[in-house]
Amino acid sequence: MPRSLSAVLPPRGLADRLTALFWRRPNLLLVLLLAPPLLWLGVVYLGSLAALLLQSFYSIDEFSGLVVREFTLKTYAELLRPSNYDVILRTLLMSAAVTVASVIIAFPIAYMAARYAKGRWKAVFYLGIMLPLWSSYLVKVYAWKLILAKEGILTWAAERTHTQWLIDAALSLPYVGGNSLSTSFIGTFLVFTYVWLPFMILPMQASLERVPASLLEASADLGATPARTFRTVTLPLALPGIIAGSIFTFSLTMGDYIIPQIIGTSANFIGMAVYQLQGTAGNIPLAAAFAVVPIVIMLIYLQLAKRAGAFDAL
Amino acid sequence: MTPAVEFRAVSRHFGSTRAVDAVDLIVPEGSFFAMLGPSGSGKTTCLRLISGFEKPTSGEIRIFGENSGETPPHLRHVNTVFQDYALFPHLSVLDNVAYGLMVRGVDRRTRHARAEELLALVHLDGYGPRKPAQLSGGQRQRVALARALINEPRVLLLDEPLGALDLKLREAMQDELKALQQRLGITFIFVTHDQTEALSMADRLAVFNAGKIAQIGTPEDIYARPATRFVADFVGSSNVLPPAVTQAIGGPARWSSLRPEAVRLVPPDGAALTGRVTATRYLGGATRVTVATGRHQAPDERGYIGPGDAADLGVLIPTGQPVPALGDRTGLTFDPAALHLMDGA
Ligand SMILES: Nc1ncnc2c1ncn2[C@@H]1O[C@H](COP(=O)(O)OP(=O)(O)OP(=O)(O)O)[C@@H](O)[C@H]1O
Ligand SMILES: [Mg+2]
């Protein structure tokens, strides 16, 4: 092959020319790649959010039932009415409880998977976590209704193992107890925790996976007990994953309107309230105001987490 | 005096890999002990056995006379500068250095003051508030060193702590480490790939080969009297002569080594050993001339070419003296006392 005198190869076609163009103008490629998703995000996503926000500043005329398109904070004031305020508080407490329980249950699972599972066991882990996600959400919820019902599987199992008293004790608790597990807040809580658990385990496991074993060794080398290493190295480094997971479980619980309808006391949650208000009641402004609540709570939560240094390790 | 670290027939096998194989080792207290060897020869594994992150498959490790078999890493008064630094990414440089004191419950003011002192020691004053990610590789290594020193360990393990430094800083840190070791009286166990570094810094050194110790001794021993062909080859610069060549120049039929300083070039006529110049390399203070002597054996029936009496001899010619040209025929002479016999292994 004759050797060319130039160090520059001639372009071999359109692809080479395009690549060269993008190499010379890196921003062009960025714009081309980002424009469609940004448009989608900007118009459809943020736009609808803005529309929602706007709606919440309107009010409804009590006699005609029509939306009054004038700026007012009246609708937000209505959120503070005891019956509405109860809904918010109940949802908030339930979301917090589900999140805390998910963290506690997910952590050891994620930890084992990240630290000890290798090769085939890792595949088994992912399959075990994902499998429930592949079946319909409604199927799972109805399955749980059967499990938790008064004559359900759990009661049957408790009778066989003589642990009926445990369920009875739980059901006799004030406020969260009730007639049976499937008609109490405990039941709602159990099902929420079950359904959202994978959303906690996966980000948690991903963040634990990124903690190099050599850091744990360095900590032990410098005299830290395993418990100390866990507190000062593992936990801070896994925190972004825990926060990510808790954002999932928290916001998913806050917005859900199906589980509390099927399992529980039929007391209202935010999602259900929004569903009813914009549907049967036709009170769009109040529905919008309700929908803003989870957003505000999440923003406050993220701010607090950031303030506490949860993202320092990122 | 009890040795700082003692290995008695220690092995560590990973499946069929014999990372450390029946090693006996004594590291005297207060010494600067170097472990030298090619990649994968078991140096890091030895350090991990001392710090407690690996358990020996068999054998016994004594640290200051005590059998360390039952002591977990965090209770060993041994600290490590890790090969990959292992700095805590979420902590500032200052908190990284102060970590060892923090876990011992030393209050914030005292431990930060002490950490500042150590940062000054490694020439990183003022870097305390940064995160490790904002440092260069060499700066991270120095933070790792400061962090390992804060607990004033009785034995400090250093796993190639100067690998990422440029030559100038590397030499400065070598002097610094040596001075530090003498001042603190701590036993240093220092792992390195770099022959010159090991020879210049250590009081004693062990040369590793495939999980075993090929030779252990003072730098003088290792350099001038390599026990095996492997050591002579690895420590480098010495001429390694196959048995036929040793015999040709008047020695017994064994492997031997000959330092290049001991060889001189003479006119070819009448010289006992002659050869052709195949390479010259200018080193600054001297020129290293390679002379090919003898002949390879004819290939045997399997096509294998034995070394025969062929050898490439390195000769150092001080700058200022005439250097032969490539391809020149030349004679060689040497001081017979400098010929050192060794094992062929
Ligand atoms: N955890 C392990 N599992 C399996 N094999 C291992 C393990 N740790 C080390 N080895 C093997 O043991 C041998 C010695 O490894 P070691 O890390 O001690 O080498 P080294 O001398 O420190 O090398 P380098 O100079 O490259 O750091 C290597 O062959 C390595 O692959
Ligand atoms: Mg190593």
Side-chain angles (χ1 to χ4, degrees):
Chain A
M1 199 174 94
R3 216 189 287 176
S4 149
L5 287 179
S6 164
V8 179
L9 300 173
R12 285 160 301 186
L14 185 63
D16 271 357
R17 276 178 221 285
L18 269 182
T19 315
L21 178 66
F22 289 145
W23 181 79
R24 281 194 295 271
R25 301 189 192 290
N27 287 337
L28 184 66
L29 181 63
L30 203 66
V31 168
L32 283 180
L33 283 176
L34 282 182
L38 275 184
L39 275 178
W40 169 262
L41 201 73
V43 176
V44 177
Y45 215 75
L46 294 179
S48 60
L49 209 64
L52 181 79
L53 204 65
L54 201 66
Q55 290 280 343
S56 68
F57 289 110
Y58 295 155
S59 61
I60 196 152
D61 188 288
E62 291 188 13
F63 298 106
S64 62
L66 292 176
V67 174
V68 185
R69 296 176 178 267
E70 270 168 32
F71 178 85
T72 172
L73 289 175
K74 213 174 87 187
T75 317
Y76 278 103
E78 210 155 301
L79 281 182
L80 297 177
R81 272 217 325 247
S83 63
N84 291 337
Y85 182 73
D86 270 0
V87 172
I88 294 174
L89 198 65
R90 185 179 303 129
T91 314
L92 192 64
L93 286 177
M94 178 62 79
S95 305
V98 169
T99 301
V100 170
S102 298
V103 169
I104 293 171
I105 300 170
F107 200 90
I109 300 174
Y111 191 85
M112 292 309 274
R115 277 263 157 281
Y116 302 108
K118 296 262 152 24
R120 197 138 57 93
W121 286 109
K122 196 141 239 165
V124 169
F125 161 79
Y126 278 114
L127 211 65
I129 302 299
M130 306 288 253
L131 211 55
L133 287 179
W134 296 341
S135 64
S136 155
Y137 161 85
L138 270 181
V139 170
K140 283 182 288 185
V141 175
Y142 278 110
W144 271 96
K145 196 173 174 69
L146 292 182
I147 295 172
L148 297 177
K150 204 165 182 62
E151 280 84 37
I153 298 167
L154 205 64
T155 318
W156 174 82
E159 272 166 8
R160 287 302 173 91
T161 53
H162 304 286
T163 44
Q164 183 66 40
W165 58 272
L166 214 67
I167 294 179
D168 290 339
L171 286 178
S172 64
L173 288 175
Y175 191 66
V176 298
N179 212 356
S180 76
L181 281 174
S182 64
T183 57
S184 69
F185 282 131
I186 295 181
T188 324
F189 164 80
L190 285 177
V191 177
F192 267 136
T193 308
Y194 167 79
V195 171
W196 305 141
L197 194 61
F199 296 94
M200 179 63 86
I201 295 178
L202 290 175
M204 220 180 219
Q205 189 255 358
S207 70
L208 282 168
E209 198 117 296
R210 293 210 328 256
V211 181
S214 70
L215 288 189
L216 309 184
E217 290 187 348
S219 174
D221 188 75
L222 291 163
T225 59
R228 181 81 203 211
T229 301
F230 182 80
R231 275 207 318 275
T232 50
V233 181
T234 313
L235 208 53
L237 288 175
L239 209 52
I242 300 176
I243 299 287
S246 66
I247 289 170
F248 284 132
T249 55
F250 201 84
S251 52
L252 286 169
T253 313
M254 281 230 133
D256 193 85
Y257 66 100
I258 294 180
I259 291 173
Q261 254 179 72
I262 299 174
I263 292 169
T265 59
S266 73
N268 247 350
F269 281 75
I270 288 181
M272 285 161 75
V274 172
Y275 182 69
Q276 289 154 9
L277 284 170
Q278 65 90 37
T280 43
N283 190 346
I284 301 283
L286 189 56
F290 259 120
V292 167
V293 172
I295 298 175
V296 172
I297 291 177
M298 286 316 293
L299 288 178
I300 294 173
Y301 174 63
L302 280 183
Q303 203 53 42
L304 288 179
K306 188 169 163 226
R307 197 75 66 74
F311 304 116
D312 285 3
L314 285 183
Chain B
M1 198 163 68
T2 48
V5 176
E6 186 179 357
F7 276 34
R8 293 186 181 167
V10 171
S11 295
R12 178 67 175 99
H13 297 172
F14 299 101
S16 61
T17 311
R18 303 178 165 212
V20 173
D21 199 23
V23 163
D24 288 299
L25 187 70
I26 285 183
V27 179
E29 178 169 5
S31 66
F32 197 117
F33 191 94
M35 291 180 175
L36 181 64
S39 188
S41 57
K43 308 178 300 288
T44 298
T45 308
C46 268
L47 291 195
R48 292 171 59 79
L49 284 163
I50 300 170
S51 53
F53 295 117
E54 297 287 353
K55 283 190 179 171
T57 313
S58 63
E60 184 180 307
I61 297 172
R62 294 181 166 267
I63 300 177
F64 290 100
E66 279 175 79
N67 187 344
S68 67
E70 303 300 317
T71 316
H74 70 275
L75 297 180
R76 298 188 186 200
H77 211 26
V78 171
N79 286 132
T80 309
V81 179
F82 288 84
Q83 197 166 6
D84 65 349
Y85 328 135
L87 299 179
F88 304 120
H90 59 299
L91 299 181
S92 69
V93 165
L94 195 66
D95 281 325
N96 261 284
V97 176
Y99 192 87
L101 294 180
M102 183 191 73
V103 299
R104 282 183 166 64
V106 174
D107 70 275
R108 202 182 166 78
R109 280 259 305 280
T110 319
R111 67 177 194 249
H112 278 177
R114 183 84 188 102
E116 292 281 9
E117 282 172 35
L118 279 157
L119 279 178
L121 188 75
V122 295
H123 304 298
L124 284 176
D125 343 39
Y127 283 81
R130 294 209 197 178
K131 285 283 172 66
Q134 298 165 311
L135 299 181
S136 74
Q139 289 168 338
R140 279 180 222 173
Q141 275 187 335
R142 285 182 280 155
V143 174
L145 178 63
R147 184 180 69 173
L149 282 172
I150 203 157
N151 283 341
E152 297 171 9
R154 293 191 71 187
V155 179
L156 184 69
L157 310 176
L158 304 105
D159 201 346
E160 304 194 27
L162 307 180
L165 305 186
D166 63 78
L167 188 64
K168 195 158 177 297
L169 191 55
R170 193 181 170 96
E171 283 175 349
M173 285 297 292
Q174 285 174 354
D175 293 342
E176 202 93 45
L177 271 182
K178 186 80 190 157
L180 197 68
Q181 188 262 339
Q182 273 158 1
R183 186 146 51 86
L184 303 176
I186 297 176
T187 309
F188 274 35
I189 302 182
F190 186 96
V191 161
T192 176
H193 273 121
D194 181 339
Q195 297 83 343
T196 0
E197 188 167 276
L199 291 172
S200 65
M201 295 177 77
D203 307 326
R204 287 181 74 72
L205 71 107
V207 182
F208 280 75
N209 179 23
K212 288 191 187 309
I213 292 187
Q215 187 175 1
I216 199 165
T218 63
E220 237 280 282
D221 290 336
I222 306 277
Y223 181 69
R225 292 177 290 282
T228 69
R229 185 180 146 202
F230 170 83
V231 175
D233 264 336
F234 189 75
V235 175
S237 61
S238 233
N239 291 304
V240 177
L241 308 180
V245 179
T246 313
Q247 206 168 23
I249 59 180
R254 283 180 57 192
W255 285 87
S256 65
S257 79
L258 190 60
R259 278 174 288 134
E261 317 72 290
V263 189
R264 273 178 299 117
L265 296 183
V266 291
D269 303 317
L273 194 63
T274 60
R276 246 174 232 294
V277 176
T278 56
T280 63
R281 182 143 52 118
Y282 179 62
L283 300 174
T287 303
R288 191 183 161 100
V289 175
T290 309
V291 181
T293 68
R295 236 170 286 106
H296 285 276
Q297 276 165 353
D300 65 11
E301 63 278 8
R302 289 169 303 154
Y304 173 75
I305 302 176
D309 61 354
D312 287 340
L313 282 178
V315 184
L316 275 185
I317 299 178
T319 297
Q321 292 183 16
V323 175
L326 275 183
D328 279 1
R329 239 171 75 78
T330 179
L332 298 155
T333 176
F334 60 90
D335 174 9
L339 191 70
H340 168 74
L341 301 176
M342 60 196 184
D343 255 6

